[in-house]
Amino acid sequence: MLGIKRLGLLAALVLVGVAPAAAAQAAAQPSEQDTQYLQAVHQVNLYEIAAGELAQQKGQNQQVKDLAQQFVTDHTELDQSVKDVAGQLNVQLPNEPTPDQRTALDQLNNASGEEFDRLWVTQGLAGHLQAIQATQTEISQGTEPQVVQLAQTALPVLQAHYDALVTLAEELGIPVPETSASGTPGPGGTVPAPGGTTPAPGVTEETPGGTTESPVPGGTEVPVPQQS
């Protein structure tokens, strides 16, 4: 009988020691940086998939249609990885693109022909540039290994998309953002403000007959990288 009591006491002590550790582990959450990156890149994927599907339907230029198809495939695969990591870390993801992204999609819906092609490329350049900057920030400042690894996987995909858009923009005579995807200013360009959490406003593009400001598809949730 005494032996049974001792075993019961030992079990209770073990549970007392384990409970706080388990509770601490359950309470641990990814950092704000990691959480915001998962949410932001998910919304980037939602926008790029929707915009890519529109381009396949409404695009006039075959290169636009082909590139859009590749974007849909790549961002669908990337988003599945985002959802997997978010599920493992108990991070709740948004159900739809940001208000800025929805405005951009509305603009695409209302455009047609060559106007659509130019608008899709312009929005894609701005959105991918912002997504690349946010991904570089996650790689350098993220603390959750799974999220950092996701960003490392996403970066070359986003960079390849941006490079393809730059090539297509040059062929179509569409202005390219002065700040490069690496964060290095181009001729006359400026680097995003350091330490900010709100991205720069819409990219202003020269068009025949004046300038138009396109909303940045990346939305307001994409963090801007720290500058050294």
Side-chain angles (χ1 to χ4, degrees), residues 117-176:
D117 291 345
R118 293 176 64 87
L119 186 59
W120 182 80
V121 173
T122 299
Q123 291 184 359
L125 284 167
H128 278 84
L129 176 61
Q130 200 170 72
I132 289 170
Q133 292 172 337
T135 300
Q136 290 170 332
T137 298
E138 173 60 29
I139 292 172
S140 64
Q141 300 180 16
T143 56
E144 178 60 50
Q146 290 170 280
V147 185
V148 174
Q149 183 176 5
L150 174 68
Q152 291 172 334
T153 300
L155 184 58
V157 176
L158 296 171
Q159 184 67 61
H161 288 185
Y162 182 82
D163 292 344
L165 284 166
V166 168
T167 299
L168 182 54
E170 291 173 347
E171 292 180 6
L172 298 179
I174 299 172
V176 175

Side-chain angles (χ1 to χ4, degrees), residues 74-85:
D74 291 346
H75 281 280
T76 298
E77 293 178 359
L78 177 58
D79 201 49
Q80 186 57 57
S81 298
V82 172
K83 289 187 284 189
D84 289 345
V85 173

Side-chain angles (χ1 to χ4, degrees), residues 1-23:
M1 183 65 69
L2 183 58
I4 294 176
K5 288 182 179 180
R6 286 178 176 174
L7 287 174
L9 178 60
L10 178 60
L13 290 173
V14 170
L15 287 175
V16 168
V18 170

